[in-house]
Amino acid sequence: MVPPHGVHRRVHVGDLRPGDHACLLFASEEERTSILRGFVLGGLDAEHKILYLAGADGPPGPQALLEQCRLTGLPGGLDGRLEVLRPAELAPGQGRLDPAALLGRLRDAADRSRSEGYRGLRVTGDLCAVLRDGPDLSRLLRYETLLATEFSSARTLAVCQYDIRRCDPAALDAFASAHLRSVEVDPLVRTAELTVVRTYSPPGLRIEGVVDAGSHRRVRDALRSVASVRGDVRLEMSRVEFLDLAGLRLLMTFARARAARHCTVELTGLPPHLLHVITLIGWDRTPGLRLGAAHAC
Amino acid sequence: MPADHADGPAPAPGRARGFVHHACLYGSDEDFLAMALPFARAGLAAGEPVLAATTPANIDLLRRALGERAYALDTAETAYFGRRPVERVSAFLRYHDRRARPGRRMRMIAEPVWGGRSDRQIAEWQRMESGLNVLLAALPVWMICPYDTRVVPPAVAEAACATHPARLEGERLTPCAAYTDPGAYAEAVRPAPVAAPPTAAESGPADRVADVRRFARERAAAAGLAGERLSLAELAVCEAASHLLAAGGARVVLRAWEEPGAVLYELSRPEPSGAPVPPFAGFRPPGGAPGAEDGLWLARTLSEWLEVRTTGPATLITLRIAGPRDAERL
């Protein structure tokens, strides 16, 4: 099932550009950290200033943010490039969010970054975690709307984090629809014909495009990257255009290896012809393999 | 090798050994039972898996004759136990995989359907009958192929002695003097070649599967295939081409044309690259470990027929894929 908040366009974190206003819907710290790492690296690479709106459980300062992103080995000279705003600065007083005041702060930060010589500003934060009394739906939405208007043609980009485990589904839909795009990790494989992306809830991979003799090694490496995942793995296949027999065998071998650890591999969105081939060979009996819902034509 | 078994008595029940392949030409129900009943009864008594893949009438005969023992008999209506040779071999191997008991032989009565077949189909089935001596050589299987002389064309019944090392009448075993080495038999018995017409679409030479894929898809779509069947045609052609391209530096020239009921592809590798394709390559389904002929098996299985020819230094694979008018797949 595709959740309602999953229907808008995805953007890989490395493809974010100034003017983007995207949401990051995460369900695990591993997922959030992977994306934040890409966000920070992309910002440093593009000579952007990075502003982190931290919640109570967010990083207390730039160094903590770098450690959280496992980016401790970077060369020096990062002073001032990363700035962390604490909850007390974001929602002073009773912890109530003032959308217009927060936007004003961001506008100031954008002006300051420009005068400091940065090429742009990138902002991220988990505002639900900022608010002491839980998310204030109407105020947060107001903020998101202002942000969308403010940044649509500017040198600023924003990634708004939402922990889907902590948000009410209806509120989550409202937050998500305030964004044109949803950010996800950079692909493990990206060639002209094949894209493989790590997914997190449930854990697995999304495979898109063409798998043939030219890409078996890449697919094997991508599968290896989720080999240590605990529990079941899902491979989302609905955008597979072509998968040859040797490529299909890689998936079966992976399932067998998972079965030895008492876990399964579920293939979802499988194009009907591949289901036909799997059954023809008898690979539908592969230990550890689960054939999920087929791809609707 | 199977030819050796013809010299001795019929194999003793229960002991595992290599493939034993006998023909049985019968002309009456009594003749059929004179072979089938002792064969099945001895196997069942010894605890061996016994399969009767024959006509529904013969299955009835055998069940009645076996009495209580018939409960242990595996049966398959032969017309549906592998419709084409590649599926037939897969069906035998699947039966073996699912029913094999350690250290025990298994028995199969495997009666092909000959009536109503085209000349091409008869040649393909005869080649497979011969090929079984190679393809199943390592398996502890005793297979008897009955030929009903009341309905089988005389030339087909006669050829059974070239494809089986020995024949059984009742329980009497006679070596077949006409038995021919399977490789030589496959060379000698070939369906008439199908050549690409001058109007065929052409592409290549291609050295990448990606180029083959685009051509295969384009021609299948032009022939009216869509959805799942278009994707299967694309996959069949790509797997056949990958077999030819597996050798380093190989290239294939692609041709495709339409005939009533089908789209045909010819993949031609002009230069000698890699080892020649063995005569019975691609008849065994993929096993636990990757095999060099896996893709060819899939291409064969997804085609109405697939033929490999060698002319001079060139290797040609021709595949016939059922078109959109194939009402069995509507």
Side-chain angles (χ1 to χ4, degrees):
Chain A
M1 190 189 78
V2 178
H5 52 265
V7 294
H8 47 313
R9 221 145 48 89
R10 297 189 186 97
V11 58
H12 298 302
V13 62
D15 294 338
L16 285 170
R17 294 290 173 267
D20 281 335
H21 173 220
C23 57
L24 158 52
L25 310 172
F26 65 95
S28 74
E29 281 312 310
E30 185 191 8
E31 179 177 16
R32 169 154 73 170
T33 300
S34 297
I35 295 176
L36 272 181
R37 183 181 154 87
F39 182 85
V40 171
L41 275 175
L44 296 176
D45 196 45
E47 296 179 27
H48 289 170
K49 176 148 183 166
I50 297 161
L51 185 60
Y52 196 104
L53 315 180
D57 55 355
Q63 198 53 42
L65 175 59
L66 289 174
E67 278 165 18
Q68 187 188 330
C69 297
R70 300 189 305 274
L71 288 172
T72 46
L74 291 175
L78 293 177
D79 291 349
R81 295 192 64 177
L82 272 70
E83 198 175 318
V84 176
L85 291 183
R86 302 293 302 156
E89 300 168 89
L90 290 166
Q94 297 303 308
R96 285 170 67 85
L97 179 71
D98 180 343
L102 181 54
L103 197 72
R105 296 208 56 161
L106 295 184
R107 199 176 290 156
D108 292 347
D111 291 342
R112 203 169 61 248
S113 71
R114 203 171 301 134
S115 65
E116 286 167 355
Y118 293 103
R119 289 172 171 273
L121 173 71
R122 49 176 69 199
V123 183
T124 188
D126 178 359
L127 286 182
C128 285
V130 168
L131 305 171
R132 289 178 206 160
D133 301 327
D136 180 332
L137 181 59
S138 64
R139 284 168 185 273
L140 257 181
L141 276 176
R142 174 82 187 129
Y143 162 75
E144 290 286 14
T145 310
L146 289 172
L147 206 58
T149 318
E150 175 83 8
F151 288 173
S152 59
S153 61
R155 295 197 299 173
T156 304
L157 67 88
V159 167
C160 306
Q161 305 172 22
Y162 289 98
D163 186 340
I164 63 178
R165 298 164 300 186
R166 294 195 339 196
C167 284
D168 167 69
L172 195 65
D173 284 346
F175 294 140
S177 51
H179 303 80
L180 287 176
R181 309 171 108 187
S182 159
V183 68
E184 67 176 4
V185 288
D186 284 330
L188 296 165
V189 178
R190 178 151 58 178
T191 66
E193 299 211 294
L194 176 69
T195 304
V196 182
V197 185
R198 172 82 158 88
T199 54
Y200 290 90
S201 51
L205 301 174
R206 193 175 69 244
I207 305 174
E208 301 177 355
V210 173
V211 177
D212 64 15
S215 51
H216 292 152
R217 190 179 49 79
R218 290 189 178 93
V219 171
R220 194 181 295 117
D221 289 347
L223 289 169
R224 205 168 284 151
S225 77
V226 284
S228 60
V229 166
R230 284 190 192 166
D232 300 338
V233 165
R234 178 183 290 182
L235 305 179
E236 212 293 310
M237 314 271 294
S238 60
R239 292 191 193 171
V240 170
E241 291 166 34
F242 180 84
L243 174 63
D244 65 2
L245 185 61
L248 206 48
R249 185 188 278 281
L250 291 177
L251 308 187
M252 300 302 130
T253 307
F254 181 62
R256 247 176 231 287
R258 302 293 299 172
R261 298 170 61 173
H262 309 291
C263 300
T264 65
V265 174
E266 185 185 9
L267 306 186
T268 59
L270 201 62
H273 78 281
L274 291 178
L275 188 58
H276 178 89
V277 171
I278 289 173
T279 311
L280 204 57
I281 304 170
W283 281 349
D284 49 329
R285 295 177 165 223
T286 302
L289 182 72
R290 282 170 59 207
L291 297 169
H295 180 46
C297 274
Chain B
M1 286 302 290
D4 300 337
H5 302 309
D7 300 323
R15 253 184 330 124
R17 52 194 293 179
F19 184 56
V20 178
H21 194 202
H22 296 155
C24 167
L25 277 57
Y26 69 97
S28 67
D29 292 356
E30 292 72 29
D31 284 356
F32 174 78
L33 279 182
M35 171 280 295
L37 182 59
F39 178 71
R41 195 159 47 196
L44 295 172
E48 296 174 7
V50 180
L51 166 70
T54 176
T55 63
N58 281 345
I59 291 173
D60 272 355
L61 278 176
L62 183 56
R63 279 189 179 138
R64 255 183 264 129
L66 279 170
E68 280 298 304
R69 288 224 188 268
Y71 285 101
L73 180 72
D74 288 324
T75 59
E77 185 172 340
T78 191
Y80 300 97
F81 194 68
R83 177 184 154 165
R84 294 171 304 118
V86 64
E87 293 164 334
R88 185 74 160 187
V89 175
S90 302
F92 289 144
L93 290 170
R94 189 169 55 241
Y95 179 79
H96 173 265
D97 289 352
R98 305 264 163 95
R99 282 284 196 262
R101 295 176 196 165
R104 269 186 210 281
R105 188 184 51 201
M106 52 175 50
R107 300 181 183 220
M108 301 185 194
I109 294 170
E111 179 162 7
V113 175
W114 297 103
R117 292 216 183 273
S118 68
D119 290 348
R120 166 176 289 278
Q121 288 176 321
I122 287 179
E124 286 174 347
W125 277 84
Q126 287 176 323
R127 282 161 62 101
M128 183 211 65
E129 277 277 45
S130 179
L132 289 176
N133 298 303
V134 175
L135 294 165
L136 307 184
L139 297 187
V141 172
W142 182 6
M143 179 184 285
I144 298 178
C145 303
Y147 284 64
D148 185 347
T149 55
R150 292 168 297 187
V151 294
V152 170
V156 171
E158 195 182 327
C161 290
T163 55
H164 298 77
R167 51 183 284 197
L168 264 180
E169 283 160 288
E171 293 180 83
R172 193 166 65 86
L173 190 69
T174 318
C176 290
Y179 178 70
T180 309
D181 169 75
Y185 188 84
E187 274 303 313
V189 178
R190 281 185 169 278
V194 173
T199 52
E202 192 174 317
S203 176
D207 59 359
R208 285 171 5 109
V209 181
D211 300 327
V212 177
R213 188 167 58 77
R214 275 184 275 276
F215 179 78
R217 198 170 175 84
E218 183 190 303
R219 298 324 306 169
L225 290 175
E228 182 178 352
R229 295 191 50 203
L230 173 63
S231 298
L232 288 172
E234 177 189 17
L235 186 58
V237 176
C238 286
E239 292 296 342
S242 296
H243 192 78
L244 292 180
L245 291 174
R251 299 180 309 160
V252 289
V253 175
L254 314 162
R255 292 188 183 85
W257 66 100
E258 289 173 45
E259 283 182 4
V263 53
L264 287 95
Y265 293 88
E266 181 193 270
L267 314 171
S268 152
R269 185 176 66 187
E271 302 97 3
S273 310
V277 182
F280 302 108
F283 273 95
R284 271 184 286 243
E293 297 173 4
D294 290 353
L296 199 58
W297 173 86
L298 184 58
R300 272 192 201 285
T301 302
L302 296 176
S303 309
E304 283 193 341
W305 53 258
L306 179 150
E307 199 169 289
V308 185
R309 278 175 193 275
T310 309
T311 43
T315 307
L316 238 77
I317 295 183
T318 313
L319 313 76
R320 184 184 161 98
I321 309 266
R325 293 280 164 196
D326 180 2
E328 286 185 23
R329 296 179 175 87
L330 283 181

